[in-house]
Amino acid sequence: MKPDSSFPRLKGLTFSIQTFGCQMNKHDSEHIAGELLACGMEQVKSIEEADVVVFITCCVRESAESRLFGHVSSIKNTALPASSPLTKRVIAIGGCIGQRDGEGLLKRLPHVDVVFGTHNIESLPALLERTLQSEDHVAQTLDASSSFPTDLPLSRESAYAAWLPITIGCDNFCTYCIVPYVRGREKSRPQEDIVAEARTLIADGVKEITLLGQNVNSYGRDLYGAPRFAEILKAVSDTGIDRLRFATSHPKDLTSEVIKLFGALPNLMPALHLPVQSGSNRILERMNRHYTKDHYLHLIDQLRTACPDIALSTDIIVGFPGETEQDFQDTYDLIERVGYSQVFTFKYSPRSGTPAASMPERVPSDVVQRRFDGLLKIVEDHAHMNNAKELDAQVQILVEGTSKKNKGVLVGKTPKNQTVHALLEPEMDIEEIRGKYLDIHITEPKTWYLFGEITSDPYE
């Protein structure tokens, strides 16, 4: 591809993208990589190798924000590559935190050069060119975007798996969440565009598609007057994609029609992330979640009727303002009853600009920590119990690569999204089998992954 000559100072520079947060941030990072590669830049993995470092960061959780500040601060002491034509590494910050804080980030982190928002990621090359030309620190955020991000260049992280956005933004306004304020109101893509992109991805060798949105279940409400997510699932399934997933689902909009598809579509994977956030009706109301504990449990019963072996995961917020011991016990009881394969637990952290940030009855930090620690044991027990069911089972994985800790161990995912490890056989080249299917006999179920033996030949 011929580099875009509009940005001559970018040509030949190296860049690294560091992403913290949700799947939408990860997909934004793929578009940013596509843009910068189109300018003649070269992508590298580590900060140490990079002339330009781009951080795409969430601001929904305090942990992602803290990681950002830690990484940005440490760059001050990291030398440029010996071959760099620059005298100073260029640092850019985008994602939800860029949209929320804008120029404020330049004041808090004076060695940052560029800040951009969620609605103008296409502006990044021009902003980088400007700061390289003038050495100015620049910030630019827009209130809304005139185009869907899918119109931008893209460099996928994986050749065999792809995000396929069907909506952007969110209309739910949960009281703890900043997303509607930094991503904007919900906007759906036309169904024909989604199906066309799915077919393009399949032609490009993609085997697994994940439909992406802040709330995929409400897809189409803005376009058609009512949600049409079930139609999208069936239409993308009909393209013949091997594996189909979606994220994220809001319980208030999960319909029986969608649930039944788990038992009807052979390529819809038997795994669902369904964030409950709390098991207390009182807290759910304060969170503005628009469902009750009983309604949520009814959805779980329906899912297990449609797909008895479905793997369920969820999010839990501990210590939301006003949470009592009884509220926490209600959450604990719900986790025990559902028996999730995985639970992502978060300690409540106030996000400036959200209604919950000004709520009284803040739960003391030591109480939050005690409750948080109390969940870990039951979460781990259920994760291990669910994995233990796979002992001696034969599972099929889609090979992702090797373990970060041991390059002699391959890693892949089952249809239920379980992580599987197996010893890489001497004659196997991981680059040749990445993105292929392997059969694995499970010999040892761990809490967070399965270990097994390869029983098929990836070269056949």
Side-chain angles (χ1 to χ4, degrees), residues 173-224:
F173 291 93
C174 301
T175 57
Y176 54 82
C177 186
I178 197 73
V179 167
Y181 306 97
V182 294
R183 289 279 178 184
R185 301 301 295 265
E186 188 171 273
K187 182 179 179 181
S188 303
R189 293 177 71 188
Q191 180 171 321
E192 56 270 24
D193 290 357
I194 295 168
V195 174
E197 185 175 350
R199 291 197 175 107
T200 299
L201 291 170
I202 294 168
D204 198 34
V206 168
K207 296 180 177 179
E208 179 174 293
I209 286 175
T210 300
L211 303 180
L212 191 59
Q214 304 297 153
N215 176 17
V216 291
N217 292 330
S218 61
Y219 165 82
R221 182 177 280 135
D222 58 317
L223 289 181
Y224 311 114

Side-chain angles (χ1 to χ4, degrees), residues 23 73 78 105 130 143 166 184 254 318 350 389 406 452:
Q23 297 96 328
S73 298
T78 305
L105 284 171
R130 177 177 158 187
D143 292 335
I166 64 171
L254 182 60
V318 180
K389 297 174 185 176
N406 186 345

Side-chain angles (χ1 to χ4, degrees), residues 63-130:
S63 57
E65 197 169 322
S66 299
R67 288 174 69 192
L68 169 70
F69 292 136
H71 278 72
V72 172
S73 298
S74 69
I75 291 180
K76 290 189 294 185
N77 304 316
T78 305
L80 279 165
S83 59
S84 177
L86 304 182
T87 58
K88 171 188 175 296
R89 179 176 282 111
V90 175
I91 303 171
I93 297 177
C96 294
I97 196 170
Q99 183 69 29
R100 186 192 70 181
D101 293 351
E103 290 188 3
L105 284 171
L106 298 179
K107 295 176 182 178
R108 296 175 67 183
L109 299 166
H111 54 297
V112 168
D113 303 281
V114 173
V115 174
F116 59 104
T118 57
H119 301 302
N120 66 318
I121 60 176
E122 71 275 11
S123 303
L124 180 58
L127 297 174
L128 291 173
E129 182 79 10
R130 177 177 158 187

